[in-house]
């Protein structure tokens, strides 16, 4: 059996001896223990002459108090002393380095501030994203003012600008401002082999920072294009061309997926503008690009957008057979991906194709499906458009029959009823009282009935 080790402890009760082994607590440490921690830290900063950091710390404390009081946040920074003191110490040292003569410590300043930002970007600290946004805003202003003073600060400043630009575009939708900071980051990163962590299609990896900045800037330009599409198509196309140029300069192979997305957006704009030949030409290029796209970068949404835009273009270029094939493909993909808005758009345009092919029952069914989908996704404009097209189709199918009935009638009142019905039908898409007309078993009897109020309600008469 192994021998048991014996331990010997010397126990003393001599107060003088005990005092020798107790280190006296510093005044600042004692103050941190006793006083409100935020007030103590502000006092320490002011005692050290770090007024800039003290001012911003006070601002963030006030912001946190307001957010906590209004239940915007649940966790306060003081609840995590380790994180609080880490941020405090780095910010404190950052200002001290910035105060050194001849900007000697400026690169240390931005390195420390970048470390604070990285700390707040970790998953466990995402609950303090409000603080991250404020710190990024403060640091970018410092960088714009002092950054050019030190070339050694280029790398941390580049990452700071890039992080701030992403927040502006992704969270706040301030794409114009984000493009400014993407440009500033690109200017610092050009000809440098700095890496950026990227996440694409749920895959993590690394790429050159310049490529990632270019990709994100192009994304902001495309978003600007989408936002201006309804008001200024020429400007939207201009944003698309800029995005395509940026991505092409960054390397066609590396940015092939984003180039395809940009081309698809351009084609969709041309479709909206009814330039179907131009749209079709771009979509042919997209089809060729997809053949050479790496499987790891493929997104099924590319095929869905391609099929839908191609179908609409071919429909308006009178190629009904090819258009039908692409519509069916778009429907299959939209159902697989659960994209109701794309399925609704496909149904609406498929109904138009079926109407042209004199398949009116099928067209009505497609329009009704489109109405259901647009209602589900809350797209009021397209909901009304689909309702209008459905009613227009039904009018065209019923009106000749009504005229045939009136031709054989010698009663003037029949013509009066028809005229009144036509006038009342004009604003039908603004009210929901036409369901009875659609669901009526005897459409002709319903439409030529003298007492139309009893069939569809008083709303139509009042319009």
């Amino acid at each position: 059996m192994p021998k048991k080790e014996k331990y010997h402890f010397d126990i003393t009760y001599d107060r003088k001896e005990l005092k020798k082994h107790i280190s006296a607590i510093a005044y600042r440490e004692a103050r941190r223990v006793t006083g409100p921690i935020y007030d103590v830290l502000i006092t320490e900063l002011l005692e050290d002459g770090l007024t800039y950091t003290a001012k911003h710390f006070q601002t963030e404390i006030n912001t946190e108090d307001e957010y906590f009081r209004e239940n915007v946040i649940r966790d306060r920074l003081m609840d995590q002393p380790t994180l609080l003191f880490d941020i405090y110490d780095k910010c404190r040292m950052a200002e001290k380095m910035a105060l050194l003569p001849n900007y000697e410590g400026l690169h240390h300043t931005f390195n420390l501030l970048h470390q604070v930002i990285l700390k707040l970007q970790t998953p466990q600290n995402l609950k303090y994203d409000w603080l991250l946004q404020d710190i990024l805003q403060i640091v970018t202003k410092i960088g714009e003012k002092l950054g050019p003073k030190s070339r050694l600060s280029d790398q941390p400043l580049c990452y700071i600008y890039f992080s701030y630009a992403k927040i502006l575009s992704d969270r706040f939708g301030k794409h114009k401002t984000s493009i400014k900071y993407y440009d500033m980051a690109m200017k610092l990163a050009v000809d440098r082999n700095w890496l950026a962590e990227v996440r694409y299609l749920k895959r993590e990896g690394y790429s050159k920072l310049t490529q990632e900045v270019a990709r994100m800037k192009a994304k902001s330009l495309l978003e600007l294009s989408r936002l201006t599409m309804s008001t200024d198509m020429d400007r939207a196309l201009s944003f698309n061309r800029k995005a395509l140029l940026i991505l092409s300069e960054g390397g066609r192979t590396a940015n092939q997926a984003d180039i395809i997305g940009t081309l698809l957006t351009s084609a969709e704009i041309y479709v909206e503008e009814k330039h179907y030949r131009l749209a079709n030409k771009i979509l042919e290029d997209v089809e060729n690009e997809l053949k050479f796209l790496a499987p790891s970068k493929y997104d099924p949404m590319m095929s869905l957008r391609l099929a839908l835009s191609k179908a609409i273009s071919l429909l308006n270029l009178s190629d009904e057979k090819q258009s039908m094939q692409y519509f069916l493909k778009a429907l299959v993909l939209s159902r697989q991906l659960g994209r109701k808005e794309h399925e609704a758009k496909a149904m609406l345009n498929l109904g138009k194709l079926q109407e042209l092919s004199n398949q009116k029952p099928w067209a009505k069914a497609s329009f009704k499906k489109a109405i259901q989908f647009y209602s589900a996704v809350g797209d009021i404009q397209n909901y009304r458009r689909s309702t209008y097209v459905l009613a227009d189709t039904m009018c065209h199918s019923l009106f000749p029959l009504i005229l045939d009935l009136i031709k054989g009638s010698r009663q003037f009142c029949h013509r009066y009823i028809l005229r009144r019905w036509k006038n009342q039908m004009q604003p039908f898409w603004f009210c929901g009282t036409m369901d009875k007309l659609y669901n009526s078993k005897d459409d002709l009897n319903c439409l030529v009935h003298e007492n139309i109020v009893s069939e569809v309600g008083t709303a139509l008469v009042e319009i």
Side-chain angles (χ1 to χ4, degrees):
M1 291 180 65
K3 294 182 179 180
K4 293 183 179 180
E5 295 184 7
K6 295 182 179 180
Y7 296 95
H8 178 72
F9 298 98
D10 292 326
I11 300 175
T12 180
Y13 297 97
D14 187 354
R15 289 189 177 184
K16 292 182 179 180
E17 187 68 25
L18 289 171
K19 284 182 179 180
K20 291 179 182 178
H21 298 283
I22 298 175
S23 58
I25 188 169
Y27 173 68
R28 283 194 169 188
E29 292 175 357
R31 189 167 57 183
R32 286 185 181 184
V33 173
T34 57
I37 188 62
Y38 286 154
D39 294 343
V40 170
L41 295 180
I42 295 293
T43 304
E44 288 182 12
L45 290 170
L46 292 174
E47 288 174 353
D48 293 338
L50 306 176
T51 55
Y52 189 82
T53 305
K55 180 183 73 173
H56 285 294
F57 251 76
Q58 186 62 61
T59 303
E60 297 308 317
I61 290 166
N62 295 338
T63 303
E64 186 187 66
D65 287 340
E66 183 181 351
Y67 285 166
F68 191 76
R69 187 169 57 252
E70 295 179 359
N71 294 322
V72 177
I73 59 173
R74 295 181 180 179
D75 300 286
R76 308 187 71 170
L77 195 58
M78 67 168 66
D79 299 332
Q80 289 198 22
T82 305
L83 178 62
L84 171 62
F85 289 124
D86 187 31
I87 293 173
Y88 168 77
D89 290 334
K90 285 184 170 63
C91 291
R92 179 169 159 271
M93 285 302 299
E95 186 172 356
K96 280 190 174 183
M97 291 293 103
L99 293 174
L100 292 177
N102 300 322
Y103 306 106
E104 292 177 0
L106 202 56
H107 61 287
H108 293 301
T109 296
F110 290 112
N111 275 320
L112 288 165
L113 293 173
H114 185 222
Q115 289 175 30
V116 171
I117 291 166
L118 290 175
K119 188 79 173 179
L120 289 171
Q121 286 176 334
T122 55
Q124 61 268 28
N125 293 326
L126 289 178
K127 55 190 172 183
Y128 302 113
D129 60 340
W130 62 272
L131 180 60
L132 172 63
Q133 294 165 18
D134 289 353
I135 289 176
L136 276 169
Q137 187 176 8
I138 295 165
V139 174
T140 48
K141 288 180 180 178
I142 298 171
E144 289 180 64
K145 186 176 180 180
L146 299 178
K149 306 290 185 183
S150 172
R151 292 291 297 173
L152 296 173
S153 307
D154 285 356
Q155 188 170 5
L157 265 179
C158 179
Y159 285 111
I160 289 167
Y161 291 149
F162 183 46
S163 298
Y164 188 48
K166 284 198 293 185
I167 282 183
L168 286 173
S169 58
D170 294 344
R171 297 190 188 180
F172 299 108
K174 297 180 179 179
H175 300 289
K176 288 184 180 179
T177 312
S178 71
I179 288 170
K180 168 190 169 184
Y181 287 103
Y182 282 134
D183 287 337
M184 292 170 69
M186 180 65 81
K187 186 178 179 180
L188 295 173
V190 70
D191 297 329
R192 309 283 182 89
N193 290 320
W194 297 335
L195 295 178
E197 187 176 356
V198 296
R199 185 177 180 84
Y200 187 77
L201 293 178
K202 299 182 180 180
R203 296 181 179 88
E204 294 182 355
Y206 291 89
S207 69
K208 286 187 68 174
L209 183 60
T210 48
Q211 290 181 353
E212 188 63 12
V213 172
R215 192 177 73 83
M216 295 302 295
K217 182 183 176 182
K219 183 180 176 182
S220 288
L221 285 167
L222 288 174
E223 193 62 25
L224 273 176
S225 170
R226 186 185 66 80
L227 293 171
T228 56
M229 191 186 301
S230 58
T231 55
D232 192 343
M233 284 290 183
D234 291 335
R235 196 173 177 210
L237 286 170
S238 173
F239 287 135
N240 268 275
R241 293 188 192 102
K242 287 180 182 178
L244 189 59
L245 181 62
I246 290 168
L247 292 169
S248 300
E249 288 177 349
R252 197 164 187 86
T253 304
N255 296 320
Q256 192 175 13
D258 298 300
I259 289 171
I260 289 172
T262 306
L263 290 171
L264 284 169
T265 304
S266 299
E268 288 165 351
I269 293 173
Y270 280 125
V271 168
E272 290 291 327
E273 279 284 274
K274 300 182 179 179
H275 298 310
Y276 300 112
R277 292 194 183 278
L278 285 172
N280 194 48
K281 179 62 179 173
I282 292 174
L283 292 169
E284 288 175 0
D285 294 337
V286 171
E287 285 182 308
N288 293 329
E289 291 285 345
L290 280 173
K291 293 176 183 176
F292 302 102
L293 182 65
S296 59
K297 294 185 177 181
Y298 172 73
D299 185 357
M301 272 300 298
M302 296 175 182
S303 296
L304 173 56
R305 293 172 66 190
L306 169 65
L308 190 52
S309 298
K310 187 85 172 175
I312 297 171
S313 299
L314 291 172
L315 169 61
N316 289 276
L317 292 173
S318 302
D319 191 345
E320 296 178 6
K321 186 177 180 181
Q322 285 288 323
S323 178
M324 178 64 77
Q325 293 178 3
Y326 279 104
F327 272 130
L328 295 176
K329 184 178 179 181
L331 284 171
V332 171
L333 287 169
S334 60
R335 286 167 183 168
Q336 288 176 351
L337 299 173
R339 304 304 293 255
K340 286 190 177 294
E341 65 276 16
H342 290 81
E343 187 174 356
K345 190 174 182 179
M347 277 293 183
L348 176 60
N349 287 278
L350 179 60
K352 293 178 182 178
L353 174 59
Q354 290 165 336
E355 187 178 9
L356 288 173
S357 304
N358 205 25
Q359 299 174 344
K360 294 192 183 295
W362 289 97
K364 292 176 189 177
S366 297
F367 292 144
K368 287 179 180 179
K369 278 285 186 183
I371 290 170
Q372 291 176 7
F373 289 135
Y374 280 129
S375 176
V377 299
D379 190 339
I380 302 300
Q381 183 178 0
N382 282 309
Y383 172 81
R384 289 176 175 174
R385 183 181 298 173
S386 304
T387 308
Y388 170 79
V389 175
L390 172 60
D392 186 60
T393 302
M394 296 185 72
C395 288
H396 279 86
S397 61
L398 294 173
F399 196 67
L401 300 176
I402 297 171
L403 287 178
D404 288 339
L405 286 175
I406 292 175
K407 281 180 184 178
S409 173
R410 296 182 179 275
Q411 297 182 27
F412 176 78
C413 65
H414 286 171
R415 297 178 187 175
Y416 169 74
I417 292 169
L418 176 62
R419 191 183 304 112
R420 186 178 68 169
W421 172 73
K422 284 177 62 181
N423 292 334
Q424 291 170 339
M425 282 291 288
Q426 287 177 359
F428 61 86
W429 52 90
F430 293 112
C431 63
T433 57
M434 296 306 296
D435 290 337
K436 292 184 179 180
L437 285 179
Y438 299 153
N439 299 326
S440 175
K441 294 180 180 179
D442 187 356
D443 292 331
L444 289 178
N445 184 49
C446 178
L447 293 175
V448 300
H449 200 284
E450 185 174 0
N451 187 13
I452 194 168
V453 177
S454 64
E455 297 292 337
V456 297
T458 58
L460 288 176
V461 177
E462 293 172 356
I463 291 174

